[in-house]
Amino acid sequence: MQSYNSNAAKRMVMAFLDGLIFFVFLLGVILLLVSYNRAQQTQKNHQNMKPCTQETTATVTHLNTFTEKTKPDEIDSPTYNIYDARYTFTVDGQEYNGNYSSRKKIEMGDTLDIVYNPNDPSQSYLKVEIQKEASGDIKKMVFYYPGIVFVVFSVLAAIPLAIIQIMDRIKEDKRREAAYQQALERHKAEMEKKKANEIK
């Protein structure tokens, strides 16, 4: 009975460790997928922003303000403003427009630092957007490195756990085989004893 309880407790511990390792592995995979998606988006933005090398200043000429809730499902949720601005700048005497949205307060007539594509001035970005993309390269590593650590840790932890489970299964198979052989021997002995009694 004590051996049975011990084996049952051991199985419960092994099942818990299996679940924990799987959870860590799954968490690592999710973090790597998030990091990959961020990297793809960052790379796409880099490609779009790369040609924009010329700096100039632009003026906000149109402005719309929208109010949003931090938690849309809650009536008393705090709110914040989104400023949707259109800015205008001049290159070689010709005016070009661009759009920019921000939570930071923007007012009509504000001056913005922008960069534009000298070969196509209609393509422009705020300098602050370029800086955000640069910081995004660092931020995506926040998900990448923990993801790598979790996946590697779970794989390394799963190997000895799998070996232990295989060894336990082999021992259990041997125990069952031994029990079967003992039962077979007892049965054979009983049959021989019964046969001898019949002869007498």
Side-chain angles (χ1 to χ4, degrees):
M1 185 66 179
Q2 185 177 359
S3 176
Y4 174 80
N5 290 336
S6 176
N7 289 336
K10 188 175 182 179
R11 284 194 295 269
M12 289 180 62
V13 172
M14 297 300 286
F16 171 77
L17 292 176
D18 282 340
L20 181 61
I21 289 174
F22 177 75
F23 173 77
V24 173
F25 176 79
L26 185 62
L27 180 60
V29 170
I30 291 173
L31 290 176
L32 287 177
L33 289 176
V34 171
S35 177
Y36 175 78
N37 288 334
R38 281 175 170 251
Q40 289 291 99
Q41 185 61 43
T42 300
Q43 184 178 7
K44 181 180 178 180
N45 292 340
H46 279 332
Q47 291 298 323
N48 292 335
M49 294 179 176
K50 191 175 181 180
C52 299
T53 56
Q54 193 68 37
E55 297 185 12
T56 189
T57 57
T59 303
V60 175
T61 53
H62 294 83
L63 183 64
N64 292 316
T65 304
F66 304 95
T67 301
E68 298 286 348
K69 292 182 177 180
T70 55
K71 296 180 180 180
D73 297 334
E74 296 183 6
I75 298 176
D76 297 329
S77 174
T79 60
Y80 61 90
N81 290 330
I82 297 178
Y83 300 91
D84 190 9
R86 175 180 292 181
Y87 57 83
T88 302
F89 62 99
T90 303
V91 177
D92 296 331
Q94 184 173 348
E95 286 190 350
Y96 296 90
N97 297 315
N99 297 306
Y100 176 63
S101 294
S102 174
R103 290 190 184 185
K104 185 178 179 181
K105 187 175 182 180
I106 302 174
E107 295 182 349
M108 286 286 295
D110 280 354
T111 300
L112 305 174
D113 293 322
I114 67 166
V115 291
Y116 66 89
N117 184 349
N119 297 320
D120 181 11
S122 62
Q123 184 183 10
S124 64
Y125 297 92
L126 265 68
K127 286 184 67 175
V128 67
E129 292 182 288
I130 303 292
Q131 293 166 355
K132 282 182 180 179
E133 287 303 314
S135 64
D137 290 341
I138 299 174
K139 288 181 179 178
K140 72 175 182 286
M141 296 303 177
V142 173
F143 296 95
Y144 176 76
Y145 288 119
I148 288 292
V149 171
F150 288 161
V151 169
V152 172
F153 170 79
S154 60
V155 171
L156 293 178
I159 293 173
L161 191 63
I163 293 174
I164 292 173
Q165 290 175 331
I166 291 171
M167 295 300 295
D168 286 345
R169 190 169 298 174
I170 292 173
K171 289 179 182 179
E172 181 65 17
D173 289 342
K174 287 183 178 179
R175 187 190 66 78
R176 290 181 179 179
E177 179 65 23
Y180 172 77
Q181 290 296 332
Q182 290 176 0
L184 189 62
E185 290 294 333
R186 284 196 301 270
H187 178 70
K188 187 184 293 185
E190 290 175 358
M191 293 298 294
E192 290 178 354
K193 184 177 180 180
K194 183 177 181 182
K195 187 175 181 180
N197 292 333
E198 289 176 352
I199 293 174
K200 291 180 180 181

